[in-house]
PDB file of all heavy atoms in Angstrom:
ATOM      1  N   ARG X  19      17.704  -9.623   0.259  1.00 98.00           N
ATOM      2  CA  ARG X  19      17.457  -8.514   1.212  1.00 98.00           C
ATOM      3  C   ARG X  19      17.187  -7.397   0.453  1.00 98.00           C
ATOM      4  O   ARG X  19      18.013  -6.815  -0.323  1.00 98.00           O
ATOM      5  CB  ARG X  19      18.769  -8.190   2.111  1.00 98.00           C
ATOM      6  CG  ARG X  19      18.523  -7.142   3.159  1.00 98.00           C
ATOM      7  CD  ARG X  19      19.826  -6.739   3.782  1.00 98.00           C
ATOM      8  NE  ARG X  19      19.684  -5.968   5.057  1.00 98.00           N
ATOM      9  CZ  ARG X  19      20.499  -5.037   5.404  1.00 98.00           C
ATOM     10  NH1 ARG X  19      21.445  -4.591   4.680  1.00 98.00           N
ATOM     11  NH2 ARG X  19      20.351  -4.492   6.611  1.00 98.00           N
ATOM     12  N   LEU X  20      16.009  -6.740   0.702  1.00 98.00           N
ATOM     13  CA  LEU X  20      15.555  -5.535   0.005  1.00 98.00           C
ATOM     14  C   LEU X  20      15.913  -4.355   0.859  1.00 98.00           C
ATOM     15  O   LEU X  20      15.792  -4.407   2.159  1.00 98.00           O
ATOM     16  CB  LEU X  20      13.935  -5.531  -0.179  1.00 98.00           C
ATOM     17  CG  LEU X  20      13.496  -6.742  -1.005  1.00 98.00           C
ATOM     18  CD1 LEU X  20      11.871  -6.552  -1.193  1.00 98.00           C
ATOM     19  CD2 LEU X  20      14.150  -6.980  -2.224  1.00 98.00           C
ATOM     20  N   SER X  21      16.151  -3.256   0.214  1.00 98.00           N
ATOM     21  CA  SER X  21      16.450  -1.916   0.795  1.00 98.00           C
ATOM     22  C   SER X  21      15.535  -0.901   0.342  1.00 98.00           C
ATOM     23  O   SER X  21      15.102  -1.019  -0.845  1.00 98.00           O
ATOM     24  CB  SER X  21      17.918  -1.548   0.625  1.00 98.00           C
ATOM     25  OG  SER X  21      18.786  -2.446   1.150  1.00 98.00           O
ATOM     26  N   CYS X  22      15.219   0.088   1.069  1.00 98.00           N
ATOM     27  CA  CYS X  22      14.477   1.300   0.675  1.00 98.00           C
ATOM     28  C   CYS X  22      15.200   2.488   1.281  1.00 98.00           C
ATOM     29  O   CYS X  22      15.299   2.672   2.447  1.00 98.00           O
ATOM     30  CB  CYS X  22      13.039   1.198   1.284  1.00 98.00           C
ATOM     31  SG  CYS X  22      12.092   2.712   0.928  1.00 98.00           S
ATOM     32  N   ALA X  23      15.655   3.330   0.390  1.00 98.00           N
ATOM     33  CA  ALA X  23      16.344   4.563   0.651  1.00 98.00           C
ATOM     34  C   ALA X  23      15.295   5.746   0.692  1.00 98.00           C
ATOM     35  O   ALA X  23      14.612   5.943  -0.326  1.00 98.00           O
ATOM     36  CB  ALA X  23      17.377   4.968  -0.244  1.00 98.00           C
ATOM     37  N   ALA X  24      15.150   6.369   1.897  1.00 98.00           N
ATOM     38  CA  ALA X  24      14.293   7.500   2.073  1.00 98.00           C
ATOM     39  C   ALA X  24      14.849   8.825   2.026  1.00 98.00           C
ATOM     40  O   ALA X  24      15.916   9.025   2.579  1.00 98.00           O
ATOM     41  CB  ALA X  24      13.451   7.206   3.373  1.00 98.00           C
ATOM     42  N   SER X  25      14.180   9.733   1.553  1.00 97.00           N
ATOM     43  CA  SER X  25      14.710  11.184   1.496  1.00 97.00           C
ATOM     44  C   SER X  25      13.442  12.117   1.425  1.00 97.00           C
ATOM     45  O   SER X  25      12.393  11.712   1.118  1.00 97.00           O
ATOM     46  CB  SER X  25      15.672  11.355   0.391  1.00 97.00           C
ATOM     47  OG  SER X  25      14.949  11.177  -0.891  1.00 97.00           O
ATOM     48  N   GLY X  26      13.757  13.488   1.766  1.00 97.00           N
ATOM     49  CA  GLY X  26      12.665  14.529   1.667  1.00 97.00           C
ATOM     50  C   GLY X  26      11.816  14.560   2.877  1.00 97.00           C
ATOM     51  O   GLY X  26      10.916  15.293   2.916  1.00 97.00           O
ATOM     52  N   PHE X  27      12.134  13.850   3.957  1.00 97.00           N
ATOM     53  CA  PHE X  27      11.347  13.915   5.209  1.00 97.00           C
ATOM     54  C   PHE X  27      12.173  13.338   6.415  1.00 97.00           C
ATOM     55  O   PHE X  27      13.308  12.758   6.145  1.00 97.00           O
ATOM     56  CB  PHE X  27      10.072  13.163   5.043  1.00 97.00           C
ATOM     57  CG  PHE X  27      10.277  11.608   4.872  1.00 97.00           C
ATOM     58  CD1 PHE X  27      10.036  10.708   5.916  1.00 97.00           C
ATOM     59  CD2 PHE X  27      10.463  11.148   3.640  1.00 97.00           C
ATOM     60  CE1 PHE X  27      10.234   9.404   5.875  1.00 97.00           C
ATOM     61  CE2 PHE X  27      10.448   9.749   3.446  1.00 97.00           C
ATOM     62  CZ  PHE X  27      10.384   8.932   4.575  1.00 97.00           C
ATOM     63  N   THR X  28      11.782  13.600   7.639  1.00 97.00           N
ATOM     64  CA  THR X  28      12.406  13.105   8.813  1.00 97.00           C
ATOM     65  C   THR X  28      12.094  11.593   9.003  1.00 97.00           C
ATOM     66  O   THR X  28      11.066  11.316   9.518  1.00 97.00           O
ATOM     67  CB  THR X  28      12.111  13.864   9.937  1.00 97.00           C
ATOM     68  OG1 THR X  28      12.507  15.301   9.645  1.00 97.00           O
ATOM     69  CG2 THR X  28      12.943  13.538  11.251  1.00 97.00           C
ATOM     70  N   PHE X  29      12.919  10.652   8.528  1.00 97.00           N
ATOM     71  CA  PHE X  29      12.614   9.275   8.359  1.00 97.00           C
ATOM     72  C   PHE X  29      12.239   8.720   9.832  1.00 97.00           C
ATOM     73  O   PHE X  29      11.386   7.989   9.955  1.00 97.00           O
ATOM     74  CB  PHE X  29      13.876   8.571   7.861  1.00 97.00           C
ATOM     75  CG  PHE X  29      13.708   7.094   7.574  1.00 97.00           C
ATOM     76  CD1 PHE X  29      12.860   6.552   6.776  1.00 97.00           C
ATOM     77  CD2 PHE X  29      14.334   6.170   8.528  1.00 97.00           C
ATOM     78  CE1 PHE X  29      12.682   5.167   6.591  1.00 97.00           C
ATOM     79  CE2 PHE X  29      14.222   4.840   8.344  1.00 97.00           C
ATOM     80  CZ  PHE X  29      13.368   4.342   7.459  1.00 97.00           C
ATOM     81  N   SER X  30      12.980   9.230  10.822  1.00 97.00           N
ATOM     82  CA  SER X  30      12.817   8.554  12.145  1.00 97.00           C
ATOM     83  C   SER X  30      11.542   8.833  12.810  1.00 97.00           C
ATOM     84  O   SER X  30      11.238   8.289  13.847  1.00 97.00           O
ATOM     85  CB  SER X  30      13.973   9.076  13.019  1.00 97.00           C
ATOM     86  OG  SER X  30      13.905  10.482  13.249  1.00 97.00           O
ATOM     87  N   LEU X  31      10.663   9.720  12.133  1.00 97.00           N
ATOM     88  CA  LEU X  31       9.450  10.040  12.753  1.00 97.00           C
ATOM     89  C   LEU X  31       8.254   9.151  12.157  1.00 97.00           C
ATOM     90  O   LEU X  31       7.098   9.284  12.756  1.00 97.00           O
ATOM     91  CB  LEU X  31       9.131  11.518  12.531  1.00 97.00           C
ATOM     92  CG  LEU X  31      10.056  12.515  13.160  1.00 97.00           C
ATOM     93  CD1 LEU X  31       9.548  13.950  12.913  1.00 97.00           C
ATOM     94  CD2 LEU X  31      10.083  12.302  14.633  1.00 97.00           C
ATOM     95  N   TYR X  32       8.440   8.289  11.129  1.00 96.00           N
ATOM     96  CA  TYR X  32       7.436   7.771  10.505  1.00 96.00           C
ATOM     97  C   TYR X  32       7.493   6.178  10.492  1.00 96.00           C
ATOM     98  O   TYR X  32       8.517   5.608  10.339  1.00 96.00           O
ATOM     99  CB  TYR X  32       7.331   8.164   8.936  1.00 96.00           C
ATOM    100  CG  TYR X  32       6.850   9.615   8.775  1.00 96.00           C
ATOM    101  CD1 TYR X  32       7.838  10.597   8.917  1.00 96.00           C
ATOM    102  CD2 TYR X  32       5.611   9.911   8.478  1.00 96.00           C
ATOM    103  CE1 TYR X  32       7.393  11.961   8.730  1.00 96.00           C
ATOM    104  CE2 TYR X  32       5.285  11.248   8.317  1.00 96.00           C
ATOM    105  CZ  TYR X  32       6.198  12.308   8.474  1.00 96.00           C
ATOM    106  OH  TYR X  32       5.696  13.605   8.267  1.00 96.00           O
ATOM    107  N   GLY X  33       6.268   5.546  10.624  1.00 96.00           N
ATOM    108  CA  GLY X  33       6.155   4.170  10.510  1.00 96.00           C
ATOM    109  C   GLY X  33       6.324   3.816   8.946  1.00 96.00           C
ATOM    110  O   GLY X  33       6.043   4.581   8.156  1.00 96.00           O
ATOM    111  N   MET X  34       6.790   2.583   8.716  1.00 97.00           N
ATOM    112  CA  MET X  34       7.120   2.221   7.339  1.00 97.00           C
ATOM    113  C   MET X  34       6.552   0.827   7.043  1.00 97.00           C
ATOM    114  O   MET X  34       6.467  -0.036   8.053  1.00 97.00           O
ATOM    115  CB  MET X  34       8.563   2.216   7.075  1.00 97.00           C
ATOM    116  CG  MET X  34       9.410   3.493   7.247  1.00 97.00           C
ATOM    117  SD  MET X  34       8.804   4.747   6.053  1.00 97.00           S
ATOM    118  CE  MET X  34       9.353   3.989   4.435  1.00 97.00           C
ATOM    119  N   ASN X  35       6.206   0.665   5.799  1.00 97.00           N
ATOM    120  CA  ASN X  35       5.570  -0.631   5.386  1.00 97.00           C
ATOM    121  C   ASN X  35       6.314  -1.285   4.230  1.00 97.00           C
ATOM    122  O   ASN X  35       6.893  -0.563   3.508  1.00 97.00           O
ATOM    123  CB  ASN X  35       4.144  -0.556   5.039  1.00 97.00           C
ATOM    124  CG  ASN X  35       3.285  -0.024   6.190  1.00 97.00           C
ATOM    125  OD1 ASN X  35       2.607  -0.816   6.925  1.00 97.00           O
ATOM    126  ND2 ASN X  35       3.103   1.260   6.410  1.00 97.00           N
ATOM    127  N   TRP X  36       6.152  -2.597   4.041  1.00 98.00           N
ATOM    128  CA  TRP X  36       6.378  -3.215   2.749  1.00 98.00           C
ATOM    129  C   TRP X  36       5.056  -3.782   2.348  1.00 98.00           C
ATOM    130  O   TRP X  36       4.331  -4.461   3.052  1.00 98.00           O
ATOM    131  CB  TRP X  36       7.408  -4.319   2.991  1.00 98.00           C
ATOM    132  CG  TRP X  36       8.798  -3.934   3.209  1.00 98.00           C
ATOM    133  CD1 TRP X  36       9.522  -3.801   4.336  1.00 98.00           C
ATOM    134  CD2 TRP X  36       9.788  -3.345   2.167  1.00 98.00           C
ATOM    135  NE1 TRP X  36      10.789  -3.321   4.166  1.00 98.00           N
ATOM    136  CE2 TRP X  36      10.897  -2.985   2.788  1.00 98.00           C
ATOM    137  CE3 TRP X  36       9.657  -3.240   0.702  1.00 98.00           C
ATOM    138  CZ2 TRP X  36      12.052  -2.601   2.066  1.00 98.00           C
ATOM    139  CZ3 TRP X  36      10.801  -2.786   0.135  1.00 98.00           C
ATOM    140  CH2 TRP X  36      11.883  -2.510   0.718  1.00 98.00           C
ATOM    141  N   VAL X  37       4.745  -3.562   1.122  1.00 98.00           N
ATOM    142  CA  VAL X  37       3.506  -4.096   0.469  1.00 98.00           C
ATOM    143  C   VAL X  37       3.967  -4.576  -0.943  1.00 98.00           C
ATOM    144  O   VAL X  37       4.888  -4.097  -1.468  1.00 98.00           O
ATOM    145  CB  VAL X  37       2.603  -2.913   0.264  1.00 98.00           C
ATOM    146  CG1 VAL X  37       1.202  -3.430  -0.459  1.00 98.00           C
ATOM    147  CG2 VAL X  37       2.237  -2.133   1.395  1.00 98.00           C
ATOM    148  N   ARG X  38       3.455  -5.765  -1.294  1.00 98.00           N
ATOM    149  CA  ARG X  38       3.873  -6.402  -2.516  1.00 98.00           C
ATOM    150  C   ARG X  38       2.686  -6.636  -3.459  1.00 98.00           C
ATOM    151  O   ARG X  38       1.537  -6.567  -3.167  1.00 98.00           O
ATOM    152  CB  ARG X  38       4.391  -7.797  -2.248  1.00 98.00           C
ATOM    153  CG  ARG X  38       3.501  -8.797  -1.603  1.00 98.00           C
ATOM    154  CD  ARG X  38       4.268 -10.056  -1.354  1.00 98.00           C
ATOM    155  NE  ARG X  38       3.483 -11.109  -0.676  1.00 98.00           N
ATOM    156  CZ  ARG X  38       4.052 -12.240  -0.264  1.00 98.00           C
ATOM    157  NH1 ARG X  38       5.243 -12.468  -0.241  1.00 98.00           N
ATOM    158  NH2 ARG X  38       3.156 -13.325   0.187  1.00 98.00           N
ATOM    159  N   GLN X  39       3.040  -6.769  -4.741  1.00 97.00           N
ATOM    160  CA  GLN X  39       1.964  -7.068  -5.861  1.00 97.00           C
ATOM    161  C   GLN X  39       2.504  -8.167  -6.655  1.00 97.00           C
ATOM    162  O   GLN X  39       3.488  -7.968  -7.400  1.00 97.00           O
ATOM    163  CB  GLN X  39       1.555  -5.769  -6.540  1.00 97.00           C
ATOM    164  CG  GLN X  39       0.576  -5.996  -7.697  1.00 97.00           C
ATOM    165  CD  GLN X  39       0.103  -4.780  -8.292  1.00 97.00           C
ATOM    166  OE1 GLN X  39       0.930  -3.873  -8.656  1.00 97.00           O
ATOM    167  NE2 GLN X  39      -1.055  -4.690  -8.654  1.00 97.00           N
ATOM    168  N   ALA X  40       1.899  -9.303  -6.582  1.00 96.00           N
ATOM    169  CA  ALA X  40       2.280 -10.504  -7.451  1.00 96.00           C
ATOM    170  C   ALA X  40       1.791 -10.266  -8.925  1.00 96.00           C
ATOM    171  O   ALA X  40       0.736  -9.444  -9.073  1.00 96.00           O
ATOM    172  CB  ALA X  40       1.529 -11.778  -6.874  1.00 96.00           C
TER     173      ALA X  40
END
Side-chain angles (χ1 to χ4, degrees):
Chain X
R19 189 195 196 207
L20 305 183
S21 299
C22 171
S25 61
F27 64 99
T28 305
F29 181 71
S30 61
L31 296 181
Y32 289 84
M34 299 294 296
N35 297 268
W36 287 100
V37 179
R38 68 186 181 183
Q39 184 176 32

